[in-house]
Amino acid sequence: AWRATGRELAGRSVEVADLVGLYARLGADLMPSFDPRRSTTNDVVRQAVVPLSRVEGGGVAYVALLGKPTPPAECLVTHTWSNLFVDLVAAVVADALDLQEYAAVADALTNGGHGKITRRLSAAGASRRTYWICALCINQH
C-alpha cells in the first residue's frame, strides 16, 4: 500500500499555466484578502486552496480539482511556507521560461500582469511544463 501511494503521489503534477491561473484568481473570487506583497504560501493554502479543495467527507489535493491527467512532474519544487506566494509562482514561471532570475516575473505578477505571463508561457511553448509542489499535489486537509 505504501509503494502504491508513493507512486500515485509521485505521478501528480501541476502545469505552470494552471498555477498562474490559480494565482490570477487570488484577490478576486479566491481569497479576497490576498496581497502579493504580504500573502505567504501558508496564507494562500489555508485561505484559498483548502476551502477550494474541500469536498464532502474531507478534501482532495488541488490538482485533483483540475480534472485532467498530467504527466509526472518535470521538476520538484521545494519552498518555505512563510515565503510570499508570488515568489513561489514567479520562480516556477521563471524556470518554465528558462530565465536565470525570477524578480521580473514577480514584479509582473504583483502588478496584475498574469495575462502577459500566460501569453509569454504560451508563446514559448512552456504552458504545459509540469511541477510537483506539495501545497498543490498533496491533500492539505
Side-chain angles (χ1 to χ4, degrees), residues 2-126:
W2 287 101
R3 284 194 180 133
T5 300
R7 273 190 233 101
E8 197 270 326
L9 287 172
R12 295 178 184 175
S13 65
V14 62
E15 292 178 359
V16 65
D18 290 323
L19 178 61
V20 174
L22 170 64
Y23 181 88
R25 294 179 63 190
L26 297 171
D29 68 310
L30 287 178
M31 193 179 164
S33 64
F34 178 75
D35 177 349
R37 292 172 183 88
R38 298 187 64 181
S39 298
T40 66
T41 299
N42 186 65
D43 295 334
V44 170
V45 169
R46 297 294 159 236
Q47 297 174 45
V49 173
V50 167
L52 186 65
S53 60
R54 190 172 288 126
V55 296
E56 188 174 326
V60 297
Y62 175 78
V63 295
L65 300 175
L66 300 176
K68 60 183 179 180
T70 54
E74 298 170 47
C75 183
L76 180 139
V77 178
T78 187
H79 66 88
T80 301
W81 290 94
S82 59
N83 279 357
L84 296 178
F85 187 68
V86 68
D87 289 341
L88 171 62
V89 175
V92 171
V93 169
D95 181 77
L97 293 172
D98 293 321
L99 302 176
Q100 295 298 310
E101 296 183 6
Y102 71 90
V105 176
D107 285 342
L109 290 169
T110 297
N111 294 304
H114 47 78
K116 181 179 178 183
I117 296 294
T118 299
R119 289 187 296 278
R120 187 168 174 193
L121 285 164
S122 182

